[in-house]
């Protein structure tokens, strides 16, 4: 599904003043999907390190944060990581706060390497470390907007009408758009909900996905009480 953040990711990839990028946002808003399905194909190779799943890799960040040392360890797990050719992605980086600190040294010592991270509830991780101010960039990803929702339904023309001034849009067209907006209010902007509703045309199925997402949020909250 088309996301507006794609443009910002490409600008980051090609920027001359690129810094390690942290994609921030709640769970299930599409952070990892954007990296794996949109950005990764623009590189020769892609290395994903899930720091929540691979807690056995946390000791690599426990001592010296020299990026060359860290890469030497990671290459044993994932193969060669080549500046300018590989996208290195630390997913769920909040699970290893020292990995966030390491981003500073990737910027200072290996600026040619494309390093990207994603995480949710990062505020809790920031409370444990010295934040690398000025050494990283941030991209905030949110649930899908109504515009993105319409694109997911292949309704590009209708999406363009939503950007126009209301008094320039024919009332009949406005009525059609409002009908779609009503569905959007029910389904919400979580990508999995939108995809489920698009593929099944069932609000019941979309509501089931909403419940699953809420349950995962509750599980997350319990970790930080």
């Amino acid at each position: 599904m088309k996301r507006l953040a794609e443009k910002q990711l490409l600008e980051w990839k090609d920027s001359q003043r690129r810094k390690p990028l942290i994609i921030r946002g709640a769970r299930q808003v599409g952070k990892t999907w954007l990296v794996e399905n949109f950005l990764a194909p623009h590189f020769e190779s892609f290395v994903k390190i899930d720091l929540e799943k691979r807690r056995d890799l946390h000791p690599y960040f426990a001592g010296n944060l020299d990026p060359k040392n860290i890469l030497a360890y990671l290459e044993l797990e994932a193969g060669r990581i080549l500046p300018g050719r590989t996208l290195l992605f630390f997913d769920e980086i909040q699970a290893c706060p020292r990995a966030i600190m390491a981003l500073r040294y990737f910027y200072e010592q290996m600026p040619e390497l494309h390093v990207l991270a994603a995480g949710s509830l990062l505020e809790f991780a920031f409370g444990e470390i010295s934040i690398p101010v000025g050494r990283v960039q941030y991209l905030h990803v949110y649930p899908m907007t109504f515009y993105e929702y319409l694109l997911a339904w292949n309704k590009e023309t209708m999406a363009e009408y939503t950007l126009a001034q209301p008094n320039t849009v024919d009332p009949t067209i406005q009525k059609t758009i409002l009908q779609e907006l009503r569905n959007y209010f029910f389904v919400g902007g979580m990508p999995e909900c939108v995809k489920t509703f698009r593929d099944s045309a069932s609000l019941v199925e979309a509501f089931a996905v909403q419940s699953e997402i809420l349950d995962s949020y509750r599980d997350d909250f319990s970790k930080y009480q």
Side-chain angles (χ1 to χ4, degrees), residues 52 66 79 191:
E52 186 170 71
D66 185 317

Side-chain angles (χ1 to χ4, degrees), residues 17-86:
R17 53 176 294 277
R18 182 185 62 252
K19 302 175 183 179
L21 180 68
I22 299 178
I23 302 179
R24 303 183 63 174
R27 288 195 186 276
Q28 304 293 323
V29 295
K31 303 185 298 297
T32 301
W33 185 93
L34 275 167
V35 177
E36 294 181 339
N37 294 276
F38 174 73
L39 188 60
H42 291 273
F43 291 83
E44 292 182 29
S45 61
F46 173 56
V47 172
K48 174 185 173 182
I49 307 295
D50 187 328
L51 290 169
E52 186 170 71
K53 181 179 180 181
R54 296 296 307 275
R55 292 181 181 271
D56 58 306
L57 302 183
H58 290 199
Y60 297 164
F61 300 91
N64 190 325
L65 291 178
D66 185 317
K68 292 182 180 179
N69 290 340
I70 293 172
L71 289 185
Y73 292 129
L74 295 181
E75 286 183 334
L76 295 175
E77 299 282 339
R80 295 290 290 169
I81 298 173
L82 304 172
R85 296 164 61 183
T86 301

Side-chain angles (χ1 to χ4, degrees), residues 145-161:
T145 64
F146 182 48
Y147 183 90
E148 291 172 313
Y149 169 89
L150 292 174
L151 294 182
W153 283 83
N154 295 318
K155 296 182 177 181
E156 293 85 357
T157 301
M158 187 181 295
E160 292 302 317
Y161 274 116

